[in-house]
Amino acid sequence: MSVRRRTVLTIVRRGARSGLEAWLAGGLLVAGALPAGAFTVQTTSADEPPVVIDGRLTEDVWRRAPVHAAFAQLQPTAGADYASGIRTQVQVVADGRALIIGIRAWCDQPPHVVLSRRDAVQRDQDMVGVWIDTGGRGESAMFLKASLAGVVTDGLYRASDDEEDLGPDFPVRVATALLPDGYSMEIRWPLSALRYPFQPAAPWRMVVARAVPGAGNLLLVSGKADAEALSFLHASEPLTGLEPVLGEHRHRQEGDVSVEWTGRNVRTGEHAASRGSVGVEGWWRPRADWLVNATLNPDFAQVDIDAPQTNGNRAVALALPEKRRYFLESADVLGLPLSGFYSRTIADPRWGLRATWRGVGADATMLVSEDRAGTVVTRGRPWGTDEWTLAAPSTSEVFRGRWQPGLPGPGASADAEEGGEDSALTLGTLLSRRSLGDGRRGQLAGIDGLWRSSADGHHWQAQWSVMASENTLATDDEGEVQRRAGPSRRDASGWAKLLYSDDRWLNSAEVTRVGPEFVNLLGFVDQAGLWRAQGEVNRRLGEMSLPGGGLLHQTEWHFAASEARSLRDAARGEPGNEVIRRELRTGFWLSTARRTAAWLHAGMDRQRAHSGGKLHETPAWHGGVETTPFSWLARLTAEGSVGRQLDTDFDRVGQGGWWSMQASSRWALPQGRSVEFDPVFTGTRIRGDGPYPSLNETGLRLLGVLHLSAEESMRVIVQNERSARGAAGAEAAHTLRSQHRSVMWKKRFSSRYQVALGAQWDSRSEKASTREVFLKLEAALGDGG
């Protein structure tokens, strides 16, 4: 189980397994034992009336379209039978401009329908998910999850890390019709939003899933699958009959332009300023394999995220979702480990230009942009992370290319599943440079690879990357980047990871080395000047019966070990081979009814606060739970640690712990409206001891959304953070506080037009408060396919 921890109020799963268990918690991982079966596309004729997207499968074309009805149960018991009254069938129609997916779902009781915000559709409500792999290689897929209220969660799935990127928003249309015995749904996905090679290659592949929370949180999935597969797309089935439509569409020129205007009035202390800005983004596809993107003055503000992004911190590369379309387009091609390219390091671009090419067995993308002065980038160190301020405008160039050797040529069959074996190899390269003028620059070159193999229930995956950097940069006392007086500095980094999975084991090993002078101004390296090795073993114990008739659907024993040591840094006079952190943990993970998962680990860790400091013993218990106890409580998550904690400020350990809890609830209101309430509570405490003061940090974030319709909502965010130092048993001697309040009204008039109006207030100890009012208008000028 990968163990991760971020700052207060950043919501992550600690101790939750990446990979398969992440899918189980999020809701969609396929399993079953049905025979493979393709989805067959029904095309329409030119004189046939278009399909009306109203959720009702009444047009004549639906009577002709082949039906895919092979669905298996994944949860709560993979492969088990389920009630005969719960049936699902899928049909696919292509009209020359879009794929139209029709779903007919039967159920024994009325489905659960409730409005939620975009990209927040979960399995607490009846929903349908669709994944489309246009490359047919099992590397990535565009996906959407549609609720019966017409709300969509969409994005990009990458098989290499088995994770969803919710950044991309696709111009899909969804309509649902409630029926006496279930519901029907139509999903229109424009072909202009689906990227694929010009030459005919491997057939597209698709996965469809259906959640039925009213039937014991039942999850149904289409096609053949393997519950132990390392990638969700292992379960996909071919999408056949599409070539006649693509044969015409791949030659078609298409494009789109959107314009946004943002007006702001910002008051900081006694200083007030008003300004308006116009941003333009567009794309042009001369034919299927080429895509050109351009952006001018894009905005990234409160409209796009559900966490505060204030006027004062827009220049910082925060761990927040990317929503600027210029960076999200072709994200699967540019996809790299975070240290390679991180788009949020380009914080406030004036302009950007990008081109992407997709071929059979290879693809590439190149982007150039200019960023305004004031951007803050990170500079990793063994004992922390420095921040560098780019006081001058900077230009960035990035090239990314990938090659998949051994793939079939045009028109060849790509059925990799015959013979029960599936293997693939992808090789890539990355070149990047960021320049500030006057000879100040940082540049990087790297190669990487991904290999995966599945045969007879045994799954292997290996990833690796090697990067070399050169920079001519140094910082002054204020952290601003200057030209280095001496020669440029060069260094390298390397990373490799190996995964193995079968019905009894899920194991991994990972090793990292980052040189002390390695700098990537277009990536994210939280620590440099170290080597790190880690491994984990997870023994699958299968189902277990509990006293009283309960059942544990999955049970696993977990063991993990890791160590990080510093490398010698001659420039800073720091010695090498010092243990930074050593972890040794063992425990159990289990899942049961009501989508409940829990884990508990005993940790026998050691940590060092700074170079030359003592290697402290920090034994602790680590645990967490995730569940959906009630129909109105979409997800309840709690996690934390209790034991001896390292206080880095005083290089000592004290009894204490940290905790985080999040409760996501949805409440249906009359007239089809709803309310979402999403509170988050976090805290850290280290008890004082003698001359050492105690540490108490708490955080609270309340996110509330009133949905007036699927297109209109009101959003409120309240956030408080407090950090206090004080002697044991005494009043806090030093306290830092920060607060955020914001409210926003947003309405989407169509997929082409939307408006947002909002206000926010921020205050921080010892700093002037900031108040901001903003208005944002967006309009797309093309037809959107």
Side-chain angles (χ1 to χ4, degrees), residues 14 45 72 125 148 276 329 401 506 534:
R14 182 180 176 90
S45 59
Q125 54 188 304
L148 303 194
E329 183 63 67
L506 176 58
Q534 58 193 62

Side-chain angles (χ1 to χ4, degrees), residues 104-181:
R104 177 64 168 98
W106 288 263
C107 51
D108 296 328
Q109 56 185 348
H112 182 45
V113 183
V114 61
L115 282 171
S116 62
R117 62 192 186 277
R118 183 164 187 150
D119 288 341
V121 176
Q122 298 184 29
R123 279 181 50 202
D124 63 299
Q125 54 188 304
D126 283 76
M127 51 159 281
V128 171
V130 178
W131 286 254
I132 300 179
D133 173 12
T134 58
R137 303 192 293 257
E139 290 186 340
S140 62
M142 299 177 177
F143 74 89
L144 67 83
K145 305 172 190 176
S147 74
L148 303 194
V151 183
V152 168
T153 287
D154 56 355
L156 182 72
Y157 170 77
R158 279 187 287 263
S160 59
D161 49 16
D162 194 22
E163 290 184 357
E164 296 175 346
D165 178 0
L166 300 181
D169 292 331
F170 305 122
V172 296
R173 291 174 55 194
V174 176
T176 305
L178 296 179
L179 306 172
D181 56 353

Side-chain angles (χ1 to χ4, degrees), residues 250-263:
R250 58 172 44 100
H251 294 274
R252 183 179 300 158
Q253 293 192 40
E254 295 177 310
D256 197 6
V257 176
S258 61
V259 179
E260 59 185 27
W261 177 86
T262 306

Side-chain angles (χ1 to χ4, degrees), residues 238-256:
L239 191 62
T240 63
L242 191 57
E243 185 53 39
V245 173
L246 296 183
E248 298 181 4
H249 181 263
R250 58 172 44 100
H251 294 274
R252 183 179 300 158
Q253 293 192 40
E254 295 177 310
D256 197 6

Side-chain angles (χ1 to χ4, degrees), residues 523-600:
F524 182 84
V525 180
D526 57 348
Q527 285 181 285
L530 58 76
W531 67 262
R532 179 171 49 232
Q534 58 193 62
E536 62 180 64
V537 175
N538 298 282
R539 178 67 167 89
R540 307 181 196 268
L541 304 177
E543 292 186 347
M544 291 187 180
S545 298
L546 296 174
L551 180 67
L552 298 178
H553 300 301
Q554 296 185 53
T555 310
E556 292 188 5
W557 168 76
H558 168 77
F559 175 80
S562 67
E563 180 160 318
R565 289 179 177 260
S566 64
L567 300 173
R568 183 175 180 273
D569 189 347
R572 295 173 66 98
E574 293 181 351
N577 204 36
E578 291 182 296
V579 175
I580 301 172
R581 186 180 185 95
R582 179 180 294 154
E583 293 183 350
L584 189 64
R585 299 186 180 184
T586 187
F588 290 90
W589 178 93
L590 57 88
S591 69
T592 184
R594 298 185 181 275
R595 295 174 55 215
T596 299
W599 58 275
L600 181 65

